[in-house]
Amino acid sequence: VQTCALPISSRLIKPVQDLIAGTQAVGKGDLEQRLSLPSHDEMGLLVHSFNDMTKRLARARGDADKSRHAVEQERARLAVILARLSSGVISLDRNLVVRTANTAAARILDIEVDGLVGKSFSQSEPESASPLLDQFRAACGLHLQRADSDWREQLQIKSDKSRRELMVACTPLPDAEVGQAGFIIVFDDITVQLR
């Protein structure tokens, strides 16, 4: 009886051990795991389900990689377009943190783009080196605090060196999940045209 039980138990234990090893490999990211079908009973159904699951996970990962690549390509195209615009463009998330700012925005407001991105747009830093930016933030901030999400206004901002007339427009960025993802502020320096 003992010699007969050993082969039977190994036929049951081996597929379970394979499933455990396969599950651990998938947990570490190896989605190419395929187990051999030991039989056509419940254990075989379980192994078949495991193999089907890893195929679907691998396909989903491939689709996600393709989508991520497409998003990165679109983001790169948008960055090129924004860099070539003469209008300043600043995008804010719904918490009014600056997500993007183009070089025209930096030129018009006399700032470095890196000094703006990732920071709160509504809070001016005391050490700000740009009075133009401070005035721009204050004027836009009045609208944003009033939940004025879609507006257009002509602003005058001044520094010791210059005075600039800006045509500023703000519009909300919609998001299907949260309703409003943030804002985009577009502005042009119209000082020369007004002269």
Side-chain angles (χ1 to χ4, degrees), residues 174-185:
D175 186 314
E177 293 176 14
V178 294
Q180 184 171 308
F183 305 92
I184 186 157
I185 302 172

Side-chain angles (χ1 to χ4, degrees), residues 86-88 90 104-105 107-110 121 131-137 139-140 151-158 162-169 185-194:
S86 61
S87 298
I90 296 174
R107 181 183 41 75
I108 293 169
L109 297 174
D110 194 27
F121 183 76
L132 298 175
L133 174 61
D134 293 340
Q135 293 168 53
F136 183 76
R137 275 182 173 155
C140 293
W151 53 271
R152 184 179 191 85
E153 183 178 336
Q154 185 174 327
L155 298 177
Q156 185 180 88
I157 56 177
K158 301 175 189 176
S162 65
R163 177 183 62 82
R164 296 186 183 163
E165 294 285 339
L166 305 180
M167 183 54 70
V168 184
I185 302 172
V186 180
F187 51 101
D188 287 297
D189 187 347
I190 59 170
T191 310
V192 176
Q193 290 91 326
L194 291 177

Side-chain angles (χ1 to χ4, degrees), residues 8-173:
I8 292 173
S9 66
S10 71
R11 276 190 297 184
L12 291 174
I13 292 174
K14 174 80 169 100
V16 171
Q17 289 173 331
D18 290 347
L19 269 172
I20 291 170
T23 304
Q24 289 172 340
V26 168
K28 292 177 183 174
D30 179 6
L31 300 180
E32 299 303 317
Q33 283 291 314
R34 299 293 181 270
L35 302 177
S36 59
L37 199 60
S39 61
H40 294 287
D41 58 3
E42 290 84 7
M43 186 55 70
L45 179 63
L46 188 58
V47 168
H48 177 72
S49 296
F50 174 85
N51 288 338
D52 188 47
M53 175 197 67
T54 57
K55 281 181 200 171
R56 283 185 283 146
L57 285 173
R59 196 174 317 125
R61 178 190 277 174
D63 292 346
D65 288 344
K66 286 178 188 174
S67 293
R68 188 173 21 261
H69 182 67
V71 166
E72 288 170 6
Q73 283 183 321
E74 285 304 312
R75 187 172 285 145
R77 285 187 194 120
L78 181 59
V80 169
I81 292 168
L82 285 175
R84 292 191 176 3
L85 287 177
S86 61
S87 298
V89 179
I90 296 174
S91 68
L92 310 172
D93 67 14
R94 66 174 188 246
N95 298 318
L96 304 183
V97 172
V98 178
R99 286 285 151 236
T100 59
N102 68 350
T103 53
R107 181 183 41 75
I108 293 169
L109 297 174
D110 194 27
I111 56 168
E112 294 291 323
V113 173
D114 296 340
L116 195 59
V117 175
K119 296 185 179 170
S120 174
F121 183 76
S122 59
Q123 297 174 351
S124 180
E125 291 116 34
E127 71 277 356
S128 175
S130 174
L132 298 175
L133 174 61
D134 293 340
Q135 293 168 53
F136 183 76
R137 275 182 173 155
C140 293
L142 291 174
H143 290 284
L144 295 170
Q145 287 171 358
R146 291 190 306 237
D148 225 357
S149 59
D150 200 356
W151 53 271
R152 184 179 191 85
E153 183 178 336
Q154 185 174 327
L155 298 177
Q156 185 180 88
I157 56 177
K158 301 175 189 176
S159 71
D160 294 339
K161 303 176 211 172
S162 65
R163 177 183 62 82
R164 296 186 183 163
E165 294 285 339
L166 305 180
M167 183 54 70
V168 184
C170 178
T171 190
L173 292 171

